[in-house]
Structures are given as structure tokens and as C-alpha cells.
């Protein structure tokens, strides 16, 4: 690798590399901690952590980390109630169905709130051990009903950054202010069919959880909004109430969800969205907003960090390279398979405009035996039992219902949507949870198949050793060519 100029230092206190938040639990606490120990920003995914914690506890928590983290949760009785409900000493037998967790909804639900708060606390708490760097947590704005409880849990554990994409996080600055003072906080929830002026919200009242415990004010995390256009960035930056503390400017090569192309959606011969010059955001305009920003999506190649900084960015956010490293939360066998197929030049990543119920194009790694495989998808009996991507709608009787285009077709039609809505939709909730080795086994023996997402740019693999670590990725991105120095506990790299 030849990099003539080392990247200049980012502004004080800000990282030049953000390890992207990758759901569900691909960027878990082990990965975020490994990155933070190199001095860069480690980010855990905050998506569906209620399910992740409940299932890990049902595996017995053999290392005791989860119980150690729960013991530090400063909310009386909460950890005990969660352990009583989900912890199975010694773990459940292989193939046993997991106990369900309460699904998201608008109506307050104490057990659900407690589990969400505790799960987000646990993930950030564990990621923060063994170093004194900040930890970030990533959320999807779309999953509005989980946000207040999830953010409060992360803040109780001292999260330094909240990074939010897949929507317009205009209400999050206010939420962070309120929760930092342990005041009640809420966000608006979009309810399809609701008459204008009728506001629905999801909220959390910390006083109810604290039950008289007095805690000092919390640190307000920095908010980074993930955007794909300078127009959205300018909109958010315009008013102090909506202004984030910075932006992640994400292009269509990034793993996970991406913004659709601007204008009418056009598909190429293989059915993938066609992006054009209008989709390239103007970094000059973003820089002119005066807030720090990081470039994301295909920025893991040699010299990418230097180029990003020359374009006015503070640094880069990288996901795929970390998703495939040793500390990734991906199921170890699937990760090795992805690396093997990539090394053989046989791995393709498709940007599927239909797969995600969220409605955004979603990258899917084409791996046999996963939900990428049409036969595996067709053979999956549709079932919506996790429901993180369900969205509320107003029913004819004025009550609120929930629907997801990946649910059973008849149910979706009954809920007022055309059957065509369901075409090609994959159950991301179950597929992504299966990809981290926590897939549901249904009572009839059906095992949920995994779904794998990655970015389209895999070129960085050529510069990395086999079975590389997070520190190797940081070293590569910084252009030092060796594993980044790890603080505390010694170098985990090669
Ligand atoms: C496995 C995987 C899961 C991801 N999940 C999320 C997510 O839940 N939320 C999000 O904002 N970004 C998500 N991303 C995007 C990353 O945070 C990051 O912006 C992106 O990966 C950068 O592009 P790169 O993959 O080319 O490095 C995901 C990426 C990957 C590879």
C-alpha cells in the first residue's frame, strides 16, 4: 500500500474513524470495544437489543458479562425482573424456541420498556470496559417506538454518541436534552392514515423507572445524523432544535440500508437501483454548514481517509471491513464463509430495492442457504413474531394496528394494503438475528434462516491478513499498514 501523506489529525476530541453501527448486533460490544481501544470510535448497534439480550440470557450467559452489566444498571429491581424472566442457567437445549419478548407498540408496556432500557445499557456498558474512549450507539429513525427507551438505556451507560439513520432525526436533540436531566422524553410516531393534527408519540418517563433513586445528570451524547444528501443536512442544521452535532454522509455502496436514488426509481438489468450524479452529495455544501462530517460507503481503501479529509471531512465511517473482522458479532461460520467466498472472488452483494420492509434499498450478500436464496425465501412460512419493522396504522374503528409488508400476505391485505406490497419482502428481523447465531427455532422445528448484509466495496480485503482483527482494520485505514496500537490490556492485533 502506498500512501505518501499521512492523514492530518481530526479536530480535538473527534475520531477520524467511526466504526459504523451494524444491526442486528453485528457491531456488538466486543467489536465496539476493540475499536475504542485503538482510540477510534467504536459503535454498537442499538437495533433490536431487547431480543438480543433476552436470547443471550437464554443461552445461559456463560461468561457472566451480561449479568455483570445488568448488576450495574442503576434502576431498582429491573435487572432482577429481567433475569427472572429470561436467564436460563446452563442455557436452553439446542433447537428450543426462545421465549418471546413484548413487541413494540404505542401503548406503554413496563416490561418492554425495562427490557429495552436494560439491553441498551448492557451493550454500551460492556463496550465501554477496558478503555476510556467514548462509545457510540446506532439507531434507525424508522424504529420510532423503541427510540426513547433505547436511548435512555444507552445514556445511563454513558454513550458518547448517538448515530441515527434511516429517517430524519429532527426530534432527537430535544430527546437527548430531556433524558440527560432524567426528564420524560418522547418522539412523534408516524401513524399511517392518522388525520393531520393528530399526534402519536412514544415516550419514556425515567422517574417511573428510577423509583425515587436520585442520579446525577447524564452526559448528553453527541448526535450524528446519517444523511445521503446535503439538502437534508442543511434542513437539519438550519434550526438549533433540530441541529445535530455532525453528519455521516453515506453513499449507496454502504452495507445495510441505503437511500433510494433521487427522482424516479430506475432499475438496471439485474433489478438494482441506478444511482447517478444527482446522488453524489456536495461535500463543499456540507462543509459549509460548519459541523463535522464523516464519509461512509466504500471508504475503506488505501488513502480513503486522506481523501476524505481533503474533501473537508473529519474522517470516515467504515462498516463492511469491521463486519468481517474477528470481533464482529456475525455468526463465526457465516463470517468465515463470507471471507472464503470473497477471497475466491465468488461473493456478490446485491442492492435489493424490495427486500426490506422498511422500503429502502437493502444490500444482500448472495450466499446459498440464506434468505438471499430465492428458494430459501420461498420456503419460509411467513411469520411476524419480532415486529421491529412493523409500522402503526389507523384502523377503521380509529384504533391503532401494526403491519409489516413481510408479514403473512393475507394478514397484510386484511390490514388494508395491496398484496403487491408484500412481493419480495424478506423478514429482516428474523434473518438478521439469525445471522448473529440467535435465530428462532419455531415449535414445529423450522429454523429461521440467516440474512447477510454487506457493502458492495470489498477491495479492502486485499490489504488485510486472513482472519484479521478490528485493530488490523484501523491500522489499514490509518495507512500505518499494521494493527493499530491498542490501549490498556495489550495489543489484540497481529
Ligand atoms: C452488516 C452491516 C449492517 C449495517 N447495519 C446498519 C444499521 O443498522 N444502521 C446504520 O445506520 N447503518 C448500518 N450499516 C452501515 C454502516 O454503519 C456504515 O455506514 C457502512 O457500512 C459504511 O460503508 P462500507 O460498508 O462500505 O464500509 C451496516 C453495514 C453493514 C456492513
Amino acid at each position: 500500500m502506498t500512501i505518501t501523506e499521512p492523514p492530518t489529525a481530526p479536530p480535538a476530541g473527534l475520531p477520524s474513524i467511526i466504526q459504523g453501527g451494524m444491526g442486528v448486533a453485528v457491531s456488538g460490544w466486543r467489536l465496539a470495544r476493540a475499536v475504542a481501544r485503538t482510540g477510534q470510535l467504536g459503535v454498537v448497534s442499538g437495533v433490536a437489543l431487547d431480543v438480543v439480550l433476552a436470547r443471550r440470557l437464554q443461552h445461559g450467559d456463560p461468561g457472566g458479562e451480561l449479568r455483570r452489566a445488568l448488576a450495574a444498571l442503576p434502576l431498582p429491581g429491573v435487572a432482577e425482573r429481567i433475569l427472572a424472566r429470561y436467564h436460563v442457567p446452563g442455557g436452553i437445549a439446542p433447537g428450543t424456541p426462545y421465549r418471546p419478548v413484548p413487541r413494540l407498540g404505542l401503548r406503554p408496556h413496563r416490561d418492554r420498556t425495562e427490557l429495552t432500557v436494560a439491553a441498551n445499557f448492557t451493550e454500551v456498558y460492556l463496550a465501554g470496559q477496558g478503555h476510556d474512549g467514548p462509545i457510540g450507539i446506532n439507531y434507525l429513525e424508522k424504529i420510532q417506538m423503541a427510540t426513547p427507551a433505547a436511548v435512555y438505556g444507552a445514556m445511563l451507560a454513558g454513550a458518547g454518541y448517538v448515530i441515527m439513520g434511516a429517517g430524519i432525526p429532527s426530534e432527537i436533540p430535544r430527546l437527548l436534552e430531556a433524558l440527560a436531566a432524567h426528564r420524560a422524553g418522547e418522539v412523534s410516531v408516524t401513524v399511517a392514515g392518522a388525520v393531520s393534527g393528530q399526534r402519536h408519540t412514544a415516550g419514556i418517563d425515567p422517574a417511573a423507572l428510577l423509583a425515587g433513586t436520585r442520579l446525577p445528570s447524564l452526559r448528553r451524547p453527541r448526535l450524528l445524523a446519517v444523511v445521503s444528501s446535503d439538502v437534508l443536512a442543511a434542513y437539519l442544521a438550519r434550526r438549533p432544535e433540530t441541529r445535530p452535532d455532525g453528519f455521516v454522509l453515506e453513499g449507496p455502496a454502504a452495507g445495510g440500508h441505503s437511500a433510494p436514488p433521487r427522482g424516479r426509481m430506475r432499475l438496471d438489468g439485474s433489478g438494482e437501483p441506478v444511482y447517478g450524479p444527482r446522488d453524489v452529495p456536495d461535500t463543499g455544501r456540507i462543509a459549509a454548514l460548519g459541523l463535522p462530517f464523516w464519509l461512509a460507503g466504500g471508504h475503506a481503501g488505501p488513502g480513503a481517509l486522506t481523501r476524505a479529509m481533503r474533501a473537508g471531512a473529519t474522517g470516515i465511517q467504515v462498516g463492511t471491513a469491521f463486519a468481517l473482522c474477528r470481533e464482529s458479532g456475525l455468526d463465526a461460520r457465516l463470517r468465515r464463509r463470507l471471507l472464503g467466498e470473497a477471497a475466491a472472488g465468488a461473493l456478490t452483494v446485491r442492492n435489493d430495492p424490495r427486500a426490506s420492509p422498511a422500503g429502502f434499498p437493502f444490500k444482500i450478500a448472495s450466499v446459498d442457504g440464506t434468505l438471499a436464496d430465492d428458494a430459501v425465501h420461498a420456503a419460509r412460512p411467513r411469520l411476524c413474531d419480532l415486529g421491529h419493522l412493523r409500522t402503526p396504522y389507523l384502523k377503521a374503528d380509529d384504533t391503532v394496528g401494526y403491519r409489516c409488508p413481510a408479514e403473512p400476505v393475507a394478514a397484510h391485505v386484511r390490514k388494508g394494503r395491496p398484496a403487491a406490497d408484500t412481493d419480495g419482502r424478506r423478514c429482516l428481523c428474523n434473518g438478521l438475528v439469525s445471522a448473529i447465531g440467535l435465530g428462532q427455532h419455531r415449535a414445529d422445528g423450522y429454523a429461521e434462516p440467516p440474512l447477510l448484509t454487506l457493502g458492495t466495496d470489498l477491495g479492502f480485503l486485499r490489504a488485510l491478513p486472513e482472519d484479521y482483527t478490528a485493530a488490523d482494520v484501523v491500522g489499514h485505514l490509518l495507512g500505518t499498514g499494521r494493527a493499530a496500537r491498542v490501549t490498556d490490556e495489550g495489543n489484540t492485533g497481529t
Side-chain angles (χ1 to χ4, degrees):
M1 172 191 355
T2 47
I3 298 175
T4 44
E5 242 179 277
T8 49
L14 296 176
S16 53
I17 297 169
I18 301 177
Q19 162 256 305
M22 297 179 280
V24 171
V26 170
S27 62
W29 62 265
R30 284 192 174 82
L31 174 57
R33 186 179 65 167
V35 173
R37 288 172 67 208
T38 70
Q40 302 300 333
L41 182 60
V43 179
V44 295
S45 165
V47 175
L49 286 176
D50 48 354
V51 178
V52 172
L53 175 64
R55 292 190 178 181
R56 285 180 176 157
L57 287 173
Q58 287 168 79
H59 281 286
D61 184 28
E65 294 95 353
L66 301 175
R67 280 165 291 164
R68 198 157 41 78
L70 285 170
L73 182 66
L75 304 173
V78 171
E80 291 76 4
R81 283 192 284 279
I82 289 171
L83 289 172
R85 186 162 297 123
Y86 298 107
H87 184 234
V88 177
I92 55 175
T96 311
Y98 294 107
R99 185 178 182 153
V101 304
R103 287 192 291 180
L104 295 173
L106 282 171
R107 241 190 253 144
H109 187 304
R110 189 179 170 109
D111 291 349
R112 183 184 64 218
T113 299
E114 290 187 353
L115 183 60
T116 302
V117 170
N120 282 262
F121 174 88
T122 302
E123 201 73 5
V124 174
Y125 175 88
L126 291 173
Q129 301 290 296
H131 62 87
D132 52 16
I135 290 295
I137 189 157
N138 177 288
Y139 297 110
L140 302 181
E141 196 277 337
K142 263 237 153 191
I143 308 183
Q144 294 163 333
M145 293 180 290
T147 301
V151 169
Y152 186 59
M155 286 174 66
L156 281 175
Y161 289 78
V162 166
I163 302 178
M164 194 174 271
I168 304 176
S170 53
E171 297 183 5
I172 305 303
R174 204 179 46 210
L175 178 72
L176 299 180
E177 296 295 339
L179 297 183
H182 304 286
R183 279 190 278 112
E186 62 178 26
V187 296
S188 302
V189 175
T190 310
V191 176
V195 289
S196 66
Q198 190 181 22
R199 183 167 177 251
H200 293 268
T201 57
I204 185 169
D205 182 4
L209 292 167
L210 286 163
T213 309
R214 294 189 71 80
L215 293 181
S217 296
L218 300 171
R219 170 169 63 162
R220 178 204 184 279
R222 287 184 166 122
L223 172 66
L224 306 184
V226 184
V227 298
S228 63
S229 83
D230 45 86
V231 178
L232 176 54
Y235 166 79
L236 288 171
R238 201 161 42 212
R239 290 184 299 137
E241 313 86 85
T242 60
R243 188 178 303 142
D245 302 287
F247 297 102
V248 173
L249 191 54
E250 197 182 69
H257 287 101
S258 302
R262 252 148 287 279
R264 201 171 57 82
M265 172 89 89
R266 281 189 307 123
L267 302 179
D268 66 14
S270 56
E272 298 187 47
V274 178
Y275 292 87
R278 284 173 67 201
D279 298 302
V280 180
D282 186 331
T283 46
R285 282 203 189 144
I286 300 257
L289 298 173
L291 294 167
F293 67 99
W294 289 259
L295 300 185
H299 293 279
L305 178 56
T306 304
R307 283 194 297 280
M309 285 176 158
R310 283 212 194 102
T314 296
I316 50 178
Q317 172 170 288
V318 171
T320 302
F322 289 110
L324 293 171
C325 80
R326 218 183 288 166
E327 296 89 344
S328 156
L330 278 176
D331 175 78
R333 271 168 313 177
L334 290 171
R335 182 178 70 85
R336 278 196 294 273
R337 208 161 139 207
L338 287 167
L339 283 169
E341 292 194 11
L347 182 62
T348 54
V349 178
R350 236 181 84 73
N351 193 15
D352 191 317
R354 298 274 322 160
S356 173
F360 298 110
F362 187 72
K363 292 317 137 19
I364 296 186
S366 303
V367 175
D368 289 347
T370 70
L371 276 181
D373 189 330
D374 284 336
V376 174
H377 168 60
R380 176 183 180 270
R382 281 181 177 242
L383 174 73
C384 181
D385 56 348
L386 293 179
H388 280 77
L389 292 175
R390 293 192 314 170
T391 49
Y393 71 101
L394 206 62
K395 298 200 279 192
D397 63 1
D398 257 6
T399 60
V400 172
Y402 302 90
R403 62 192 178 200
C404 172
E407 70 191 345
V409 181
H412 202 56
V413 170
R414 243 187 349 264
K415 295 174 187 177
R417 296 298 303 162
D421 236 31
T422 64
D423 284 351
R425 305 291 185 190
R426 265 55 173 172
C427 176
L428 258 59
C429 293
N430 274 294
L432 295 178
V433 171
S434 176
I436 53 159
L438 294 176
Q440 180 64 295
H441 291 259
R442 298 188 193 168
D444 63 4
Y446 180 80
E448 290 286 356
L451 178 66
L452 296 165
T453 179
L454 286 179
T456 51
D457 178 14
L458 300 168
F460 58 83
L461 285 171
R462 285 191 292 274
L464 287 165
E466 225 182 285
D467 199 22
Y468 59 89
T469 64
D472 289 327
V473 178
V474 173
H476 158 69
L477 297 173
L478 290 174
T480 57
R482 56 197 143 74
R485 200 175 57 79
V486 173
T487 58
D488 199 16
E489 298 170 57
N491 192 340
T492 55
T494 48

